[in-house]
């Protein structure tokens, strides 16, 4: 990953919109959100926003949120406007990615977030995803029950995320994931 990041930084002005979004998405999805790479590609990324398709915009938003790299040159009214202009083109995956970006922006206490109606649409899509309960999750909750704890299973938080379980421990609600 380090070698790919270094090569990408060197060739940053040669990327297409889709190339940038795919690269950044891949680094974040692989659990390697190289902050130096993301910071180095901010200018190139902002320069291709107008030609970016809806999925590229969603991938860029999500990848930067995962990397936790904020830059006013990229995430500004122009970025939000590009997303709003294409809001009817986003599929469920893109809307979910934008919800996660919007949560991150709110966490940063930024004024640059999606408009309320579009943000609500992204949230609604995020909470309507199918849940898959793994065998490990079943085993963990079974063990919690067997030791006298009473976990609530599949608990949705206000942000839309779903915790595998919550339980009361020493008078506090504890999430189990």
């Amino acid at each position: 990953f380090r070698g790919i990041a270094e090569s990408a930084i060197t060739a940053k002005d040669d990327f297409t919109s889709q190339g940038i979004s795919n690269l950044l998405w891949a680094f974040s999805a692989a659990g390697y959100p190289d902050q130096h790479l993301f910071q180095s590609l901010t200018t190139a990324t902002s320069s291709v926003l107008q030609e970016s398709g809806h999925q590229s915009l969603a991938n860029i938003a999500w990848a930067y949120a995962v990397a936790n790299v904020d830059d006013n040159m990229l995430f500004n009214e122009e970025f939000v406007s590009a997303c709003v202009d294409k809001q009817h083109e986003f599929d469920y995956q893109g809307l979910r990615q934008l919800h996660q970006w919007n949560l991150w922006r709110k966490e940063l206490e930024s004024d640059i977030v999606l408009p309320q109606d579009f943000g609500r649409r992204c949230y609604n899509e995020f909470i309507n995803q199918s849940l898959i309960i793994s065998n490990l999750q079943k085993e963990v909750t079974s063990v919690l029950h067997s030791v006298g704890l009473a976990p609530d299973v599949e608990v949705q938080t206000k942000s839309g995320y779903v915790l595998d379980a919550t339980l009361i421990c020493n008078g506090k609600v504890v999430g189990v994931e």
Side-chain angles (χ1 to χ4, degrees):
F1 280 102
R2 184 174 292 130
I4 294 170
E6 289 171 7
S7 294
I9 291 167
T10 301
K12 66 184 174 212
D13 295 326
D14 299 333
F15 279 97
T16 64
S17 165
Q18 185 173 355
I20 289 173
S21 72
N22 288 348
L23 176 72
L24 297 175
W25 177 88
F27 269 73
S28 291
Y32 195 85
D34 183 305
Q35 292 204 350
H36 180 65
L37 170 67
F38 281 74
Q39 290 166 340
S40 297
L41 291 181
T42 298
T43 302
T45 303
S46 63
S47 71
V48 297
L49 282 183
Q50 292 307 315
E51 64 191 60
S52 295
H54 64 282
Q55 193 58 56
S56 289
L57 290 170
N59 285 349
I60 289 166
W62 180 82
Y64 272 88
V66 169
N68 196 27
V69 174
D70 185 25
D71 191 304
N72 294 341
M73 184 171 33
L74 176 57
F75 297 120
N76 51 35
E77 292 298 331
E78 183 180 339
F79 182 84
V80 172
S81 180
C83 291
V84 169
D85 289 347
K86 293 175 174 52
Q87 68 180 302
H88 298 294
E89 298 174 32
F90 290 102
D91 62 6
Y92 71 95
Q93 182 180 0
L95 293 170
R96 290 175 184 171
Q97 288 174 304
L98 287 176
H99 172 67
Q100 292 170 309
W101 176 82
N102 215 35
L103 283 175
W104 173 61
R105 302 302 299 164
K106 290 176 182 178
E107 178 184 309
L108 295 174
E109 299 179 351
S110 173
D111 293 335
I112 305 297
V113 295
L114 297 174
Q116 189 172 6
D117 57 335
F118 187 31
R120 173 62 62 185
R121 183 171 161 232
C122 294
Y123 171 81
N124 288 337
E125 190 60 50
F126 190 79
I127 64 171
N128 287 325
Q129 57 188 312
S130 299
L131 301 175
I132 299 170
I133 300 174
S134 69
N135 288 333
L136 177 59
Q137 181 181 349
K138 290 175 189 174
E139 289 177 39
V140 169
T141 55
S142 176
V143 169
L144 292 171
H145 276 291
S146 73
V147 297
L149 298 171
D152 290 323
V153 181
E154 298 299 312
V155 178
Q156 188 169 53
T157 66
K158 289 179 186 177
S159 67
Y161 282 98
V162 176
L163 297 173
D164 290 342
T166 60
L167 51 96
I168 305 295
C169 183
N170 296 326
K172 294 182 181 179
V173 177
V174 177
V176 178
E177 186 63 27

